[in-house]
Amino acid sequence: MVSRIVIALLSIGLAAPVVAFEAPPLDRQIKALDQQILTLNTQGRYEEALPLARQVLDLRRERDGTQYPDYAAGLVNLGLICKSLGRYGEAETAMEQSLAIRRDILRPNHPDIAATLGDLAELYGAEGKYEAAEKAGRESLATFEKSGGAEHPEGSAAMDTLAAIYVRENRTDEAEALYEKSMRIREKRLGANSPQVGNSLESLGQLYFGLGRFDLAEPLFERGLAIYRKSYPAGHAKIGIALNNLALTYRDERRYGDAEPLYAEVVSLKEGGSSAELAAALVNQAILYREEGRDGDAEPLLKRAALAGEGTPAYPDLLIRLGELHLAQNRLAEAEDAFGRSMALRETPAVLGDLGLVAKRRGRLGEAETYLTRAVILRESQSPDSADLAATLNDLASLYQDQGHYPEAEPLYRRSLSIYEKVYGADGTNAATALANLASLLLVEKRYAEAEPMLQRSLALREKLLGPDSPVVANSLGNLAALYGSLGRDGEAEALWLRSIAILEKAEGPASLAIAGSLNNLAVVYLDEKHDQQALEALKRSLAIREGALGAGHIDVAATLNNLATFYMNRSDYGTAETLFKRSIAIYASAAGEASVLHVAALQRLAKMYERQGRDNLAAPILYRVKQIQAAQAKSS
């Protein structure tokens, strides 16, 4: 701080000279550190900024004591840095201490008190403390309004903070009203093209985007970006945010050609700047390429992002992104390596869930259950009733279903559906997926009357929201086809399976794992229709796809082997059937466990074939083993 003292001269007619005194060394040190902290924060280098913020706080305490505005401001800065690092407890302590000081030394309803309450409201919201967040947000808004009237410019920022809290609580109507009121105040007080109006447009657009109302979000994001381009120099962080928001909207509308140049511009803006921000921009562009099926273009971007972000708080998440690409490419060892490296740095529900999916794909179902159960526990503690929890519940339910643990799977599927409907509405894509998953379980349990309306609704939603040629629609067609096949409506089932396969071949190529599942089920319909040769060709193609993609010991390979074995058994080719049954039994025992429903059912099928052949000496020990397993299960339950 530079002190300027004006000395008044008594001589008539002489102007009073301005004498500049050099700031004390402590002031200069604080000013230099403040500038360094600002630079590091701008670059996202919060770990480096944190010790400097603590040092500045100590210097201000030494200079002024604690009951002083600058010390309170330093506490807020420290809290914001801690919040950016996810160190919420430290952030909360610092901000609450700042609020107490400001209440003591400032007049009631001072804007600094309102601002601190707003910062605390955002922090409480990030912690999931919604009741405390709403209370602080409401007090912040009321304080601003008392300080400067109902249309205080800073009050609009408090409205945005409170609205964001309502969004987290799924009170979207209240959030929308606040965002719109905030924007009206800003347009009236600051002008329709002010950057603050741009902030309102972006916030309201994000609300609509989260609700799946892309038609409402898109024009808001376009207008917000135009305002930011006029208000800020090229390369400003807010331009990058607006570009990302609009690009994401285009991407979700499948307007990839419109989204790509926006993402490329963001990458260009971040070159030479913050490593973390460059990494985030590269990841967004890679996600776009992945959705376009351009995994080859996405991989170098993700590797570059991981390299740029190494050593930053975002690095574990960047490793997850790279692992998810490898998982989608069925490069399971590389996926597991990336997820494991992320896990070694930081345990999160996301990486636990991904490790569970890898373990499941590699047939290690017990290990998968451990990971996914832990992921659910963490989600429950961090974000109850969130979309992330719903997704993890669904993954665990799917695993239980694959293990034949149907009673454990159903309540998880139903809770996942309930959360999705609460968060996104009953007519969204997430609810459609959750309906399909629950119905798939009901199909396995032969609860057809309950499953059919769920499947029909899921298909109708997906066709409306995603278009008739989406691979997701292919999945819904397959589920409905499986129901019709079970009800003996083979003609309808065959038509749906063929349409599903055609969509998948066009979208994912002839070796898609999804096609293998559809072929397996189509073969069952062909058998019911006595089209034996078509059934055999479908089963052999399914087996080849699965062995090539998953390996010979995967649980899905066992399912196809079982179907092939049954085909040969019913045509009295017992030697071939026996070989295939034994292969499937070995896989089920290894992948699902000897006590699993799938292993027991496979044993029973082999025993049945032996009995058909009159080879009771071979069937008897197998059936005895089945009784032992079932008795052990009954005892344990």
Side-chain angles (χ1 to χ4, degrees):
M1 181 184 300
V2 178
S3 300
R4 297 186 183 274
I5 300 176
V6 177
I7 300 177
L9 299 184
L10 297 178
S11 304
I12 297 175
L14 294 179
V18 177
V19 181
F21 287 87
E22 187 176 0
L26 191 58
D27 287 359
R28 293 201 305 272
Q29 186 180 1
I30 290 173
K31 183 175 181 181
L33 286 170
D34 278 341
Q35 184 58 50
Q36 193 175 352
I37 292 167
L38 178 62
T39 301
L40 291 171
N41 284 343
T42 302
Q43 296 174 346
R45 297 159 61 185
Y46 304 114
E47 289 283 4
E48 297 172 64
L50 182 58
L52 299 183
R54 287 180 173 143
Q55 184 181 350
V56 166
L57 205 58
D58 290 340
L59 293 173
R60 284 180 167 147
R61 184 190 301 114
E62 178 185 336
R63 184 188 67 183
D64 306 317
T66 59
Q67 297 299 103
Y68 197 75
D70 281 358
Y71 186 75
L75 284 167
V76 170
N77 290 337
L78 177 64
L80 292 173
I81 292 170
C82 289
K83 177 189 171 190
S84 297
L85 290 169
R87 299 164 73 158
Y88 295 140
E90 295 173 68
E92 192 174 314
T93 299
M95 289 186 186
E96 288 177 347
Q97 187 179 348
S98 175
L99 178 63
I101 293 170
R102 285 177 163 169
R103 287 192 194 278
D104 284 343
I105 65 176
L106 300 174
R107 62 175 169 80
N109 304 323
H110 192 282
D112 286 352
I113 293 175
T116 310
L117 285 163
D119 290 332
L120 269 170
E122 291 183 7
L123 174 62
Y124 292 146
E127 293 179 283
K129 298 179 178 179
Y130 299 129
E131 185 175 345
E134 182 177 350
K135 181 180 178 182
R138 286 185 177 279
E139 187 179 353
S140 173
L141 177 57
T143 304
F144 274 127
E145 289 178 341
K146 290 175 183 176
S147 173
E151 295 187 354
H152 190 293
E154 292 297 328
S156 59
M159 289 178 194
D160 287 350
T161 298
L162 187 56
I165 293 164
Y166 288 155
V167 170
R168 290 193 181 102
E169 295 180 299
N170 302 312
R171 295 160 62 181
T172 53
D173 289 343
E174 293 168 86
E176 181 181 16
L178 276 177
Y179 280 138
E180 288 178 340
K181 182 179 179 181
S182 169
M183 185 161 64
R184 286 195 300 270
I185 291 171
R186 287 168 169 165
E187 286 178 326
K188 179 179 178 180
R189 298 289 294 269
L190 305 172
N193 293 315
S194 71
Q196 290 83 357
V197 170
N199 296 344
S200 288
L201 290 163
E202 294 295 320
S203 296
L204 189 56
Q206 287 170 351
L207 171 65
Y208 290 140
F209 179 89
L211 294 171
R213 294 299 310 274
F214 305 135
D215 56 322
L216 297 179
E218 182 186 324
L220 297 176
F221 286 146
E222 288 174 338
R223 185 182 161 201
L225 176 59
I227 289 174
Y228 284 163
R229 287 195 191 278
K230 291 178 181 178
S231 303
Y232 298 111
H236 193 279
K238 290 211 169 181
I239 293 177
I241 292 170
L243 285 166
N244 265 325
N245 286 337
L246 183 56
L248 184 58
T249 304
Y250 288 154
R251 196 185 87 198
D252 278 25
E253 292 176 312
R254 286 166 175 73
R255 293 168 55 184
Y256 299 124
D258 292 325
E260 184 169 353
L262 300 183
Y263 280 134
E265 184 178 350
V266 176
V267 171
S268 178
L269 290 177
K270 302 304 178 184
E271 296 279 7
S274 161
S275 296
E277 291 182 4
L278 174 60
L282 290 164
V283 165
N284 286 333
Q285 192 172 20
I287 292 171
L288 174 71
Y289 288 156
R290 286 201 57 198
E291 290 191 4
E292 291 183 278
R294 297 164 57 185
D295 284 358
D297 293 325
E299 185 167 357
L301 293 176
L302 289 174
K303 287 182 175 178
R304 187 181 166 205
L307 186 63
E310 190 168 4
T312 71
Y315 186 55
D317 295 326
L318 296 171
L319 288 170
I320 289 175
R321 288 292 187 184
L322 184 60
E324 287 172 346
L325 172 65
H326 293 325
L327 182 61
Q329 296 172 320
N330 208 44
R331 293 157 60 181
L332 300 182
E334 292 169 88
E336 192 161 17
D337 175 70
F339 295 144
R341 286 158 59 200
S342 177
M343 179 78 162
L345 294 169
R346 185 173 68 219
E347 183 189 58
T348 64
V351 74
L352 285 164
D354 284 329
L355 281 166
L357 293 177
V358 171
K360 177 183 174 183
R361 291 270 290 273
R362 303 189 86 172
R364 306 193 316 252
L365 301 188
E367 185 180 336
E369 183 176 348
T370 299
Y371 281 129
L372 290 170
T373 301
R374 174 66 178 157
V376 168
I377 291 170
L378 286 183
R379 293 280 191 214
E380 291 271 20
S381 66
Q382 295 176 5
S383 52
D385 292 333
S386 68
D388 287 336
L389 174 60
T392 309
L393 288 167
N394 177 78
D395 288 339
L396 182 56
S398 176
L399 176 66
Y400 283 145
Q401 183 175 337
D402 287 347
Q403 293 173 302
H405 300 163
Y406 305 138
E408 290 87 349
E410 183 172 346
L412 299 183
Y413 277 139
R414 290 192 181 277
R415 186 172 172 209
S416 177
L417 172 61
S418 174
I419 292 172
Y420 278 136
E421 288 181 333
K422 180 180 178 182
V423 173
Y424 296 118
D427 294 331
T429 55
N430 298 92
T433 299
L435 279 167
N437 291 335
L438 175 57
S440 72
L441 175 67
L442 299 177
L443 278 178
V444 174
E445 296 183 296
K446 296 181 171 54
R447 294 159 63 182
Y448 304 128
E450 295 173 73
E452 185 171 5
M454 291 184 184
L455 292 175
Q456 290 172 335
R457 176 165 172 72
S458 176
L459 175 60
L461 284 173
R462 285 172 164 174
E463 286 182 319
K464 177 183 176 181
L465 295 167
L466 303 174
D469 295 324
S470 167
V472 180
V473 169
N475 177 265
S476 280
L477 289 166
N479 287 332
L480 194 55
L483 171 67
Y484 290 153
S486 299
L487 293 173
R489 294 156 64 177
D490 294 330
E492 294 171 86
E494 180 183 347
L496 292 177
W497 281 124
L498 289 173
R499 183 184 161 200
S500 172
I501 291 169
I503 291 171
L504 292 169
E505 286 177 332
K506 181 179 178 181
E508 301 178 4
S512 164
L513 276 171
I515 290 175
S518 297
L519 287 165
N520 224 28
N521 292 306
L522 176 62
V524 174
V525 175
Y526 281 147
L527 289 173
D528 288 342
E529 295 178 314
K530 310 302 182 186
H531 298 161
D532 288 4
Q533 189 58 39
Q534 290 168 284
L536 182 59
E537 290 171 0
L539 288 171
K540 286 182 175 180
R541 184 182 168 195
S542 172
L543 181 62
I545 291 172
R546 284 179 165 171
E547 286 183 324
L550 302 173
H554 194 275
I555 196 168
D556 289 347
V557 171
T560 307
L561 288 168
N562 248 322
N563 287 341
L564 267 173
T566 302
F567 175 88
Y568 286 115
M569 178 184 71
N570 289 337
R571 282 143 194 83
S572 301
D573 186 348
Y574 297 121
T576 303
E578 182 178 14
T579 300
L580 296 171
F581 273 137
K582 286 181 175 179
R583 274 188 65 193
S584 74
I585 288 169
I587 293 171
Y588 281 136
S590 174
E594 291 197 355
S596 70
V597 172
L598 297 170
H599 180 242
V600 168
L603 287 170
Q604 289 172 324
R605 279 189 286 269
L606 179 59
K608 180 180 178 181
M609 186 185 76
Y610 286 148
E611 288 177 335
R612 179 184 293 188
Q613 293 176 274
R615 301 166 71 183
D616 292 345
N617 60 317
L618 296 178
I622 295 174
L623 293 174
Y624 179 72
R625 176 60 184 145
V626 168
K627 287 181 180 179
Q628 284 182 313
I629 293 171
Q630 291 173 334
Q633 288 176 326
K635 185 177 180 180
S636 65
S637 62

